[in-house]
Every structure is written in structure tokens, then in C-alpha cells.
Amino acid sequence: FFGWGTLQGAAVSGYNAIGLLLLLAIAQTGKHLLKDFQDSVVSFHAGISIVAILGLWMEASRWIWAGGTELAVTIVWALLAFALLGTGFLLRERVWRLMGLLILAVSVGHVFFVDVWKMGQFAGILGIIGLALVLLFLGFIYNRFASQIKKWI
């Protein structure tokens, strides 16, 4: 599942992804253990989180590009974005939520500017309609829970 070793000739290691996840866990643990040094720990924690999340995004992209399609890359990016958003809400981590929103925005842009134009005419129309429905749903959720979302973000 993680692409241990090589996948169709591309060296993609699942150990990198596990290492990045461990780095995020260590940073999260350190933030809670060092509450007395809050000011310096917060910026250090944010920096480590951003680097680890970008590395995890890059590793997931390399893994999919080695054996998948452009659409599969977009789907994995969206799943990663939603995982980061959900985890960020559960852990009350602003950096994770913002990185999730960034990856989701890049994923939506990739659908519109790359994936739709590589599909056939009918599939492209369905892709744009699907994207519009997802964006309408996200807009509805945002409007319904705007005050709560503003507190979280």
C-alpha cells in the first residue's frame, strides 16, 4: 500500500511517509509537553508541521505519479487535504487546517486546469459539474457554520 521499495521503476519509499508522520507526532507531543515555553515552541512547531506536511504531500504525489493517472493524483491530494483538515480540527491545530485548505485549493485548481481538459468532452462536462457540486456543498457548509469556522481557522 505505501509503495515499499520501488513501484514501476520509481524509487518511492513508504518509510519516508512514516518518518514524516512520526515527525508530526513528535512535534505535536513536544508542543504539549513544553507548555511553559509557549512562544518559542509555537513558531518551532508551526515550522516543523509545515515542512513535514509539505514532505508528506510530495511523497504522496511521487507515489501516485509513479503508477497512477493525473486524476488519481488529484484524488489523493483531496483525500490528504480532508485528512489534514479533519486532524487539524480534532487536534485544534491551525497550521494543519490551513495546510489542508492549501492542498485542497491546489487540488481543485488541478481538476479545473489539468484534469478536465485531458478528459473527453462528455467526461469533462461531468467533471466540471461534479466540481461545481462539491464547491456548492463546501459553500453551503461554510455559510451554515461560518461563525464556528472563523473561530477554528
Side-chain angles (χ1 to χ4, degrees):
F1 174 71
F2 284 108
W4 307 108
T6 61
L7 181 62
Q8 295 183 357
V12 179
S13 173
Y15 295 116
N16 292 343
I18 290 173
L20 291 167
L21 289 172
L22 284 174
L23 181 63
L24 286 170
I26 290 168
Q28 189 68 23
T29 304
K31 180 182 176 187
H32 292 292
L33 290 177
L34 300 173
K35 289 181 181 178
D36 296 336
F37 305 100
Q38 193 65 23
D39 294 335
S40 59
V41 171
V42 168
S43 59
F44 183 71
H45 175 264
I48 286 179
S49 296
I50 289 170
V51 168
I53 290 169
L54 288 175
L56 191 60
W57 185 18
M58 184 182 73
E59 190 62 31
S61 300
R62 285 180 38 198
W63 177 61
I64 293 299
W65 271 319
T69 63
E70 292 277 339
L71 187 58
V73 170
T74 306
I75 291 170
V76 168
W77 285 356
L79 291 174
L80 178 62
F82 284 120
L84 286 171
L85 283 168
T87 306
F89 284 126
L90 288 174
L91 297 177
R92 300 186 188 278
E93 287 295 333
R94 185 172 193 255
V95 173
W96 290 42
R97 294 189 303 264
L98 292 176
M99 291 300 294
L101 288 174
L102 173 74
I103 294 172
L104 185 61
V106 171
S107 178
V108 167
H110 193 268
V111 166
F112 186 73
F113 292 114
V114 176
D115 293 339
V116 169
W117 304 112
K118 289 187 177 185
M119 297 177 187
Q121 186 176 14
F122 183 70
I125 291 170
L126 288 179
I128 289 175
I129 291 172
L131 178 61
L133 290 174
V134 168
L135 292 175
L136 281 171
F137 175 73
L138 290 175
F140 170 75
I141 294 296
Y142 179 77
N143 280 330
R144 181 162 170 93
F145 302 107
S147 61
Q148 295 164 336
I149 291 173
K150 287 179 183 177
K151 289 179 194 174
W152 290 335
I153 293 178

